[in-house]
Amino acid sequence: MTPSLYTFIDAKDKFAASAISGLAGRTSKPLINAFNQITGNEAEKKATLDQSLRGVLGDQIVEQKASCDDYLALIYISIEAVTEGICSATTPFLLLGDVLDCLPLDQCDKIFSFVEENVSTWKSSTFYSAGKNYLLRVCNDLLRRLSKSQNTVFCGRIQLFLARLFPLSEKSGLNLQSQFNLENITVFNKNEQESTLGQKHTEEKEDGMEVEEGEMGEEEVPAPCSIPIDYNLYRKFWTLQDYFRNPLQCYDKFSWMTFLKYSDETLAVFKSFKLDDMQASKRKLEELRTSAGEHVYFAKFLTSEKLMDLQLSDSNFRRHILLQYLILFQYLKGQVKFKSSNCVLNDDQTTWIEETTKLVHQLLKEIPPEGEKFSAMVEHILNTEENWNSWKNEGCPSFVKERVVDDKPKRPTRKRQAPEDFLGKGPDRKLFMGNDELTRLWNLNADNMEACKSDDREFMPSLDEFFAEAIEQADPTNMVEDEYKVVRNSNYGWRALRLLSRRSPHFFQPTNQKFKSLADYLDSMVSKLAKELPKDIPSEEIKTGEEDDDDNGDNLLKESNDSPSMQNKIVSNQQMDDVAAKLGAKWKTLAVQLEMKASELREIETDSEDVDMQAKLLLVAWQDREGTQATVENLVSALNAASFSQIADNLSEA
Amino acid sequence: MGLIELLHMSVFSQSFSPCGKFLAAGNNYGEIALFSLSAALGPDANELSQKPILAFAAHDGPVFSLLSTDAHLLSAGNGEISAWSWAELIKKNVKAAWTRRPNYKSSLEIPEINAMAINPADNSLAVGGGDNNVHIMDLENGVFKSVLQGHTDYIHCLSVRERAAEVLSGGEDGAVRIWDTRTSQCVHCVEVYKYETCARPQHGRWISCLTTDSDWMLCGGGPSLSLWHLRSMSPTSVFPLSGCQRQATFYQDMILTVGEGQCVSHCQMGGEVKAQIPCTPHSINTLAINTNSTEHRVLTVGGSSDHIDVFTNLSYRAFSLRF
């Protein structure tokens, strides 16, 4: 059976019909059905479908009955068709192009919103490669149609869309060769004849005499302009715009001289004409914001000479001009790959540029409102520009970092374990602080709380000690005068009170006595304490009693010191001999606890045959290694760990 | 005029023509120069248009004061007042319409005339100078009507208070005297240097600038420039300007003042100095605003230089006219 012929027109009509039927419901199902029903080659069918969709759109546009939504529905269907695989990927873009070309701008706005919303679709893999060029062309066509000053927002939207669609390093939007818009010419009245002043007296001047005669108040009606105009400044000021338009002129010596002269004059005017109307400009800004909700709108410079005065008083205008200067300077100073080699500044020019940059920044700071912030921001932005400039110079490298490929397989590294002693987990529970002194100090008592609680930190004196002098003075036989008594000393009295509150129960006993002064109170307390003291006899004996107490105190202190100090003593030779003798052949077990290396053990074995000697050698080796850490305490703990507790006890007792 | 003379020139006085298109300036050599403002302000102005269209010797001594009436330019030199017709001057016809001399007591010295002021109410001219007196001359017939005596030292400046028909005079003796023109009596005498807020003993007590706005009076010189309320005769604001001010004027809601110091100071009634605009002469003697014409409304400033600075916009110097 011969396959039925595939007729293009029939297929196209069928597709068109199903497309239209699908429009209402915005579904591509009819289209898909039609596609599957018609017999034919896939490629042929796809091409036919493309054509038919375009035809449908064309008809719709021509009839002008359809609304934007219909066009959008058709395009939506076509997108679906692409995802279904029945339509080629370029079709939606072609449709979009057709629509945007044929519609007036206000409708294009709506269509473009659709385009913006579907950025993600365009960026997906099926669509992106096929459609990006089409989209770019469509957007550029639109931009060309739009006026940048009338449809600023729309232009901005298109630009933003392009920015979102293309990757950051897409070069088509770049001004790669750093070209300037040379057509941006600022027109102003250079000729007297074109002056907007209606007075004819400015022409035909032979000598001053005739001019006056002509002016002597006859026919000439004064022009509507009624303010004096500074033509000199006007001309010089607007000539500067030509230099901003084409900075390459600055490299030419003659033009540079002119630029220099005019700039100096203009900046001198800016300098002397200070804007300080902060209140007025604040109010103006408020008004602008509330009325339009947008910022000040600026299209292009208006260059009428009548406006010169007003422009000079306007802070925004000044900011524009000063910013132009800064941008120009950045270009002149910067390294741009596409500048020709004779575009180099000489030293004088560079110095002038630097000085003027400082002046410009200072002027910017003085312009209200918030001049300082503006100046800082501008500086920051221009610095950022430098980055972009260098990026361009390098040929716009991509921003995506390549993954570094790992060729060598990772060798599993063995973690070296920290020595046990270092972490305090060893048998001695000793911490090595890396420094002998530190280790010693730390190992006095590793636990801070415990150390604070130890007895030798008890600094509070006993009652007897403290009040000894007072008691002695209270004794009437000593005949100490009141004013010399130590209880009169306010410092002494304060400390006495503190001590009493800690140690004496008398402090808390309520008393009916009223004391006029601290000294009196202390007198009574002292007498009470004196009675309580074990030896209630004249001063000498009291003294000795206290001395005894002191001695006892000292002894106590000494004893408490003894135990730690003894432990911290380095093991003496005698002690080592004893231990070695007791260890005997079992020295190897101790060696393990002392963490001796196997090599050292073998050395010891070879050194001597006698086990006692070997034990001794072990201990000696240990001592050598430990140095100041070869303390009794450590040895005792090692012995205990090696289950030589008896030897350990003997050692500690010695 | 040789370069040396130009170097030593000082401009002491200025006056605008009644049509507002010309400026007359008097200098220390006794010359008066006439400048065309319309030429200088025109779009095709060049170096030549900034030179005088006419310069002539008017007096023997320096021309300390210039004044314009409807048709005449009055100039004061050493002890005499000359009148020149503007129309004739513009035609470059240098011939004085008349010359008068007040009655001076002593004929040995000829005192200079420092200041002149016109009282439009009775068309009289008040003249003050080195003989410590103010002479009032009737402009219609040229007769000196009265002499106001009271100052103990020479008079620097005069001002007319129109509403109250009073003449104010400030002098080297530090006193500002207010005279009633009808009775020729001194109504008030204010010794500014005695007020602590204004006094600057290091500069002296002389009053070199005086101007009045009917309710307010500005005076300064040795003492600081201060704004006085005339009804209460008390200083309301004192301006913190360092030099001695030689001329001050009310303009719109600001006060413009010049003096020692290379700038025009813009001050506000409250006492703060809003701006100081730099200009060419190092020390400025005279300040004038052309109120006779709107399209040539400029501020001109002259002082110890042969340049007269012209300001089209009050805030910056546009260009200079040169003698």
Side-chain angles (χ1 to χ4, degrees), chain A residues 223-236:
Chain A
C225 151
S226 58
I227 45 165
I229 291 169
D230 184 2
Y231 279 95
N232 180 31
L233 183 69
Y234 170 76
R235 272 185 223 125
K236 290 185 182 169

Side-chain angles (χ1 to χ4, degrees), chain B residues 56-76:
Chain B
F56 61 96
H59 294 273
D60 291 333
V63 181
F64 284 125
S65 175
L66 281 176
L67 199 59
S68 279
T69 62
D70 292 334
H72 287 93
L73 174 70
L74 303 172
S75 66

Side-chain angles (χ1 to χ4, degrees), chain A residues 191-192 195 197 199 201-203 205 208-209 211-213 215-217 222-223 225-233 235 265 268-269 272-274 276 308-310 312-313, chain B residues 19 21-22 36 38-46 49-50 53 87 90-92 273-278 293-298 311-319:
Chain A
N191 280 332
E192 306 82 62
S195 154
L197 286 180
Q199 293 173 346
H201 70 275
T202 53
E203 304 171 66
K205 262 188 59 184
M209 182 69 161
V211 177
E212 280 90 72
E213 285 187 339
E215 290 168 340
M216 265 313 282
C225 151
S226 58
I227 45 165
I229 291 169
D230 184 2
Y231 279 95
N232 180 31
L233 183 69
R235 272 185 223 125
E265 263 194 50
V269 170
S272 74
F273 188 162
K274 293 207 194 284
D276 51 4
M308 188 89 228
D309 264 354
L310 293 170
L312 284 175
S313 330
Chain B
C19 58
K21 295 185 188 160
F22 299 93
S36 164
S38 35
L41 289 171
D44 51 347
N46 53 16
S49 42
Q50 291 167 356
I53 56 168
I90 288 164
K91 289 191 219 151
K92 300 203 177 170
V273 178
K274 209 174 70 152
Q276 293 193 299
I277 316 297
S293 154
T294 44
E295 64 241 27
H296 300 311
R297 174 166 298 173
V298 294
F311 293 68
T312 50
N313 176 327
L314 286 180
S315 298
Y316 73 96
R317 181 193 77 88
F319 60 93

